[in-house]
Amino acid sequence: MSHEHHEVDLATMYSQETWDARYAESERIWSGNPNPRLVEHVADLAPGRALDIGCGEGADVVWLAQQGWQATGVDVSEVALLRAAAHAEDAGVEDKVAWERVDVLAGDELPGDMDLVSVQFFHPPVDRFAELTQRMGAAVRPGGHLLVVGHHPADLETGVRKPHGPDLLFTPDRVTAALPAEQWEVLAADEPTRDHPTDDGPVTVTDTVVLARRR
């Protein structure tokens, strides 16, 4: 879930109404390509059952299905999910995917017993970060993996994350602190950079990446 160059009311930024309206503004918001950190960290994992939280238009779910995963995408936006289903059908993987409208912040139940849970650029409120991270992690079966990717606070200096505000951006430490050591083995807690295209040319941005295996 990302809001670059798009002003969002923080009081309503997680609602279905906000995101349905956001997706309805154009035929496509995202590139249609899988998130690069997902590809980097999951490509070598044995396929199983995967859950993508905040799946948007479904590019990550489609990519997972193409790699042999049985993948479920959940999102708060019905508009996004309809678009995601069309993407899967166009890619010929509709029999390997499922879609559910889930409002994570409202406490909707997540599908469980997953070999992989991927959370790409979902930025919970600070006061609920640990709670929501643990609840999303609870969808991972023992031996499975949790991958959390977010925008790093260093990006405030680039000017491309203004709608988030400083509190919503997070470092790997915030994620790992929410994962009890007796339940999780942290395999990666990194801050890699990449080029991000803008109207004024590419900008170097920093990602927060945490990959953990449930014990």
Side-chain angles (χ1 to χ4, degrees):
M1 189 179 285
S2 178
H3 318 281
E4 296 162 21
H5 305 297
H6 189 86
E7 292 300 327
V8 177
D9 180 355
L10 294 179
T12 60
M13 67 177 288
Y14 303 101
S15 71
Q16 179 179 357
E17 292 76 15
T18 293
W19 282 97
D20 279 350
R22 174 84 166 96
Y23 281 105
E25 289 177 357
S26 60
E27 291 185 3
R28 174 182 283 180
I29 294 179
W30 314 121
S31 68
N33 300 315
N35 278 299
R37 306 306 178 199
L38 175 73
V39 175
E40 289 171 10
H41 288 278
V42 172
D44 292 334
L45 295 181
R49 298 181 69 236
L51 175 66
D52 183 26
I53 298 175
C55 66
E57 292 164 324
D60 286 357
V61 173
V62 168
W63 179 83
L64 286 164
Q66 290 170 333
Q67 311 311 306
W69 294 80
Q70 193 71 35
T72 297
V74 300
D75 201 279
V76 72
S77 170
E78 191 69 43
V79 176
L81 292 171
L82 290 171
R83 226 172 260 180
H87 185 181
E89 187 172 354
D90 290 343
V93 295
E94 65 271 22
D95 60 333
K96 297 180 179 179
V97 302
W99 311 101
E100 293 186 28
R101 200 198 77 80
V102 172
D103 187 338
V104 177
L105 271 81
D108 290 355
E109 186 175 353
L110 289 164
D113 197 31
M114 295 291 168
D115 299 288
L116 169 69
V117 170
S118 174
V119 190
Q120 302 280 323
F121 303 107
F122 173 59
H123 293 80
V126 176
D127 60 347
R128 299 189 62 192
F129 191 95
E131 166 215 339
L132 292 169
T133 299
Q134 291 166 10
R135 188 145 59 83
M136 293 186 291
V140 181
R141 68 162 183 80
H145 293 80
L146 172 68
L147 177 63
V148 177
V149 179
H151 299 307
H152 191 279
D155 282 1
L156 289 172
E157 300 174 7
T158 70
V160 301
R161 311 291 184 214
K162 289 179 181 178
H164 287 80
D167 292 339
L168 294 184
L169 306 183
F170 58 89
T171 62
D173 287 349
R174 190 184 292 180
V175 182
T176 58
L179 300 176
E182 66 274 15
Q183 297 178 18
W184 294 95
E185 177 188 3
V186 176
L187 304 178
D190 300 326
E191 302 174 347
T193 60
R194 58 186 168 88
D195 285 339
H196 174 77
T198 73
D199 293 340
D200 300 320
V203 172
T204 299
V205 297
T206 304
D207 293 329
T208 284
V209 181
V210 173
L211 177 67
R213 180 167 52 223
R214 190 169 183 184
R215 299 186 189 277

